Amino acid sequence: ITVSLPASVTSGNLLVLFASLSGRTFTSITESYTQIATRGSSPNLWVGYKFAGASESAPVLTASGSMSSGSAVILQYSGVDSLGTTGTISSTAGSTTLATNSITTTVADELVVSFYEGNYAVSSTTFTWTAPASTTSRVNSAQTSTSNGLLVVDEIKTTAGSTTART
């Protein structure tokens, strides 16, 4: 599975890859992305990052098994000078309400990115997403019988401390 790069990648910017596959297990990825979080049961989820170099190629995800549906996207963030990689995955099978885990930021003005995934093979229904009120939606794709739905949102946490779950 080849994942398209953002339209214009700038050297030094943070690239974050979000992927969801139904019925397949991730085995490798090209282009030296560092894994932040993964879940190995269907739907298989993979989140990783890298800082862009002078020239970038679209990464290729290799997976075993047969895929019933899947989606992947790369987001680009500028101005990131360090990365605290807290990655957790929670599961709410068969539910139309999803919530993130709480995390603790250590300094003010940290970027918090949340990734929501919907799997047709699990819920057998199509649906769309509503982003949490305090966030900015970066990717919002509907779940269909051939594509896992993705919602990727972010927000700046203005003060250090625990976040509340986003639903």
Side-chain angles (χ1 to χ4, degrees):
I1 299 164
T2 302
V3 186
S4 298
L5 288 169
S8 178
V9 174
T10 301
S11 180
N13 281 357
L14 176 67
L15 302 177
V16 184
L17 188 154
F18 304 89
S20 168
L21 301 177
S22 297
R24 297 185 80 175
T25 301
F26 293 107
T27 56
S28 66
I29 184 169
T30 63
E31 306 307 320
S32 301
Y33 279 75
T34 299
Q35 179 180 300
I36 298 172
T38 188
R39 183 178 68 201
S41 59
S42 191
N44 296 284
L45 306 176
W46 195 92
V47 181
Y49 76 94
K50 73 179 287 187
F51 286 93
S55 91
E56 289 294 329
S57 298
V60 177
L61 292 167
T62 304
S64 63
S66 60
M67 182 172 71
S68 57
S69 62
S71 295
V73 65
I74 297 173
L75 296 181
Q76 177 175 215
Y77 291 95
S78 62
V80 177
D81 56 2
S82 65
L83 189 64
T85 56
T86 300
T88 60
I89 294 177
S90 63
S91 178
T92 313
S95 176
T96 57
T97 302
L98 304 176
T100 62
N101 293 325
S102 178
I103 63 169
T104 301
T105 60
T106 57
V107 296
D109 298 323
E110 283 197 81
L111 176 69
V112 176
V113 180
S114 300
F115 167 51
Y116 303 81
E117 180 273 350
N119 179 294
Y120 185 85
V122 172
S123 66
S124 298
T125 186
T126 59
F127 62 84
T128 56
W129 302 96
T130 301
S134 62
T135 65
T136 300
S137 179
R138 301 298 177 186
V139 175
N140 192 338
S141 62
Q143 172 181 301
T144 69
S145 61
T146 58
S147 177
N148 290 356
L150 296 179
L151 174 64
V152 182
V153 299
D154 59 37
E155 64 186 298
I156 300 294
K157 186 155 180 341
T158 56
T159 57
S162 292
T163 65
T164 58
R166 303 291 187 251
T167 57

